[in-house]
Amino acid sequence: MRLEEQLIEGVRNGNRDDFSALVEQYQLYALKVAYRFLRDREAAEDVVQEAFIKVYKKIHLFEGRSSFKSWLTQVVLNTCKNKVRKHSRETLGLDTPKLHRAQGPEESSIHLDIGQMLMGEIEALPEKQRQALMLRVYEDLSFKEISEIMGSPYDTAKANYRHALMKLREKFESCDLLKSWMYETNQKSNSWLGEIMEADL
Amino acid sequence: MKNSDWWWIDYMENELDPTTHPDIEFLLEKSPADREEFEAWRLLKSWVREVDPVKKETVSWETKELEKLREKTLRALADEETCQIGVRSF
């Protein structure tokens, strides 16, 4: 099996087999990244195809200062942004999930999909914060990798991530129902926090 | 938002100077309020992880689908290049 560096070199020299191997290696990862941002399977597949073609054509621009994965992620995210710009969100079915907020105690019995609310709040975050959050939490990328992908300094990438979490927490705390749910969950988790701390810290 | 929020998040992400860890661990052991605060950040992060659209909507691509997509990408690349050659020779 050829090393990634060898595959990249092969692609630079126009080797289709190496390109195919590179696609095989990163396709699923790229599809997941695109899907998380577009929330549309078909659109994600189109974006990934377009992104890999860009990779093939622009491989000379990849200087190896960042990892190939970071560079590919950057290409995929930029292609996602172009896709969203080209088509209206409605056409692609990218509507932000509607939030069903509880307004008062009488509404507290209404079933709320907390997950959907949280997802809605994540989607409502400013783009850079959302990107930093998703790349960190879902892709397990380091802040160095995130900064490379986002083309921003390390501290900025970290600040975007922190702001995203802080904003989500603020939202949770401003909604009474969520706040009480968070409090209850926290109380429950505190009973086994000691064990977690022993295991994790 | 408090400045300590940044601090807790950085600790959670292992972004603080390791020399500060013993102090933080002491704080977590002795102060229930701080434990609660830190745990709230951990919970929030775990919820964000839980609502991953890929996980939640169980979007996945079978090996065969991935193979088809890869072939499609290679075909599209070949088509583009053929078009370019055609344009150039025209």
Side-chain angles (χ1 to χ4, degrees):
Chain A
M1 196 173 147
R2 279 159 70 78
L3 292 171
E4 186 177 288
E5 291 78 21
Q6 293 172 314
L7 294 178
I8 292 166
E9 199 46 43
V11 177
R12 276 190 222 280
N13 296 322
N15 185 322
R16 289 294 169 87
D17 290 339
D18 285 345
F19 176 64
S20 177
L22 212 52
V23 174
E24 188 178 13
Q25 197 169 320
Y26 284 106
Q27 191 170 235
L28 185 59
Y29 166 77
L31 284 165
K32 286 180 178 177
V33 169
Y35 183 82
R36 285 188 180 110
F37 281 84
L38 297 168
R39 302 283 298 282
D40 181 289
R41 190 186 168 106
E42 211 173 305
E45 289 174 2
D46 288 348
V47 157
V48 168
Q49 179 180 315
E50 201 181 324
F52 273 116
I53 291 174
K54 279 184 197 167
V55 162
Y56 184 83
K57 288 179 173 174
K58 310 271 182 189
I59 195 77
H60 60 280
L61 296 176
F62 174 64
E63 294 169 349
R65 277 181 294 183
S66 62
S67 68
F68 176 75
K69 190 179 176 184
S70 298
W71 187 65
L72 171 68
T73 311
Q74 197 175 24
V75 176
V76 171
L77 291 178
N78 285 340
T79 314
C80 283
K81 276 188 238 167
N82 292 341
K83 180 103 181 165
V84 172
R85 252 182 242 131
K86 270 186 211 158
H87 305 277
S88 72
R89 290 173 73 85
E90 208 175 325
T91 313
L92 279 169
L94 299 175
D95 284 342
T96 301
K98 301 285 179 290
L99 303 179
H100 306 285
R101 291 182 182 284
Q103 298 297 322
E106 72 282 2
E107 287 179 83
S108 63
S109 60
I110 297 171
H111 173 72
L112 277 173
D113 183 349
I114 305 281
Q116 196 177 350
M117 280 188 77
L118 181 56
M119 216 187 289
E121 296 296 355
I122 293 169
E123 297 221 351
L125 287 170
E127 192 178 304
K128 286 185 175 177
Q129 293 177 17
R130 186 164 71 106
Q131 273 190 16
L133 183 79
M134 289 186 156
L135 294 172
R136 179 72 181 176
V137 180
Y138 300 145
E139 309 300 344
D140 280 321
L141 297 183
S142 67
F143 287 112
K144 183 176 179 288
E145 288 172 307
I146 297 171
S147 70
E148 287 165 359
I149 290 165
M150 295 176 66
S152 59
Y154 184 92
D155 286 341
T156 309
K158 207 157 76 170
N160 275 318
Y161 173 75
R162 286 194 201 113
H163 281 298
L165 277 184
M166 283 152 74
K167 211 164 274 180
L168 290 178
R169 180 139 177 217
E170 208 171 52
K171 294 277 181 190
F172 265 57
E173 289 182 343
S174 65
C175 174
D176 285 344
L177 188 70
L178 284 175
K179 195 177 174 181
S180 62
W181 183 73
M182 190 172 184
Y183 178 76
E184 278 167 29
T185 322
N186 203 348
Q187 288 303 303
K188 276 181 208 156
S189 67
N190 264 340
S191 59
W192 44 262
L193 179 63
E195 288 169 40
I196 293 174
M197 280 171 62
E198 272 174 33
D200 285 5
L201 297 178
Chain B
M1 281 287 143
K2 307 176 290 286
N3 282 339
S4 59
D5 290 340
W6 285 50
W7 197 64
W8 285 124
I9 295 170
D10 278 9
Y11 178 63
M12 177 172 74
E13 299 302 333
N14 210 15
E15 285 288 313
L16 284 184
D17 183 343
T19 57
T20 62
H21 289 191
D23 292 340
I24 296 170
E25 282 157 26
F26 179 78
L27 205 60
L28 288 172
E29 200 186 321
K30 301 289 175 194
S31 160
D34 284 316
R35 279 171 65 146
E36 201 171 294
E37 183 63 21
F38 176 58
E39 185 57 13
W41 288 112
R42 286 172 58 117
L43 275 175
L44 181 61
K45 187 179 173 184
S46 70
W47 294 334
V48 173
R49 202 186 289 278
E50 276 304 304
V51 299
D52 178 359
V54 172
K55 190 176 168 186
K56 196 175 165 67
E57 292 161 29
T58 56
V59 172
S60 64
W61 283 266
E62 301 288 328
T63 313
K64 275 185 185 174
E65 289 174 304
L66 290 172
E67 188 53 41
K68 272 187 190 169
L69 285 172
R70 183 160 62 114
E71 282 168 12
K72 206 175 146 199
T73 302
L74 292 169
R75 266 202 314 275
L77 180 65
D79 289 348
E80 271 200 27
E81 290 194 335
T82 311
C83 280
Q84 280 170 358
I85 292 167
V87 169
R88 264 186 239 130
S89 58
F90 178 77

